[in-house]
Amino acid sequence: MATRFDPIRDIDRFISEVTRSNSTALPMDLFRDGENYVARIDMPGVRPESIDVDVEDRTLTVRAERDAEVSDGIEWLTRERPTGTAARQLTLGNRIAVDRIVADFKDGVLTLTIPVSEEAKPRKISISHSGNTTSADTAVNPGSSNVDA
């Protein structure tokens, strides 16, 4: 029985100590584009220098800080936009090239490009034939000693 291998398994397990505290989860889209996984994480109102992305023990963590507006004399009527630390975690499979992850922040969206490792990519295996070849076989089937697949 063959099992399907997903390099970003347990992708729905984003709950961590950071997201269980007073921080806010960041909405994310995740998809595969050829040999890369791409995560787009919404971070409106976040300063780029407050974003931190790190990988430890196959767990990718994204943290960002959104400052609260502070002004004397303001009487808030409603305040729904979250402030403070926001975080998101991804558990990466062991077939991800962790050292080649790229992050780009543009228009309030952090894009992470997560490449599949070379070992995980499908490849063709060349087959060689190492049997004894007689002169009769060579005359009947010239070039039959090697097969390229």
Side-chain angles (χ1 to χ4, degrees), residues 63-78:
R63 285 185 194 86
E65 184 78 25
R66 185 152 96 195
D67 300 326
E69 293 180 39
V70 179
S71 181
D72 293 334
I74 290 181
E75 179 183 341
W76 291 99
L77 301 177
T78 185

Side-chain angles (χ1 to χ4, degrees), residues 18 21-26 63-66 83-87:
V18 175
S21 66
N22 291 332
S23 63
T24 304
L26 301 166
R63 285 185 194 86
E65 184 78 25
R66 185 152 96 195
T83 59
T85 301

Side-chain angles (χ1 to χ4, degrees), residues 43 52 141:
M43 298 182 164
D52 180 48
N141 294 320

Side-chain angles (χ1 to χ4, degrees), residues 92-104:
L92 304 175
N94 58 2
R95 302 244 176 162
I96 296 295
V98 175
D99 58 331
R100 295 189 355 238
I101 295 174
V102 177
D104 179 57

Side-chain angles (χ1 to χ4, degrees), residues 13-103:
R13 288 192 302 149
F14 298 123
I15 299 172
S16 69
E17 290 77 51
V18 175
T19 57
R20 287 181 189 169
S21 66
N22 291 332
S23 63
T24 304
L26 301 166
M28 176 183 72
D29 289 337
L30 178 68
F31 58 92
R32 185 164 182 170
D33 183 14
E35 299 300 325
N36 296 308
Y37 289 92
V38 178
R40 291 196 179 126
I41 303 171
D42 286 346
M43 298 182 164
V46 169
R47 290 176 293 108
E49 58 273 7
S50 78
I51 300 171
D52 180 48
V53 180
D54 61 50
V55 177
E56 183 177 339
D57 294 330
R58 310 307 286 181
T59 300
L60 183 141
T61 304
V62 177
R63 285 185 194 86
E65 184 78 25
R66 185 152 96 195
D67 300 326
E69 293 180 39
V70 179
S71 181
D72 293 334
I74 290 181
E75 179 183 341
W76 291 99
L77 301 177
T78 185
R79 193 167 191 178
E80 297 175 352
R81 297 173 51 221
T83 59
T85 301
R88 191 72 190 243
Q89 288 191 319
L90 301 171
T91 302
L92 304 175
N94 58 2
R95 302 244 176 162
I96 296 295
V98 175
D99 58 331
R100 295 189 355 238
I101 295 174
V102 177

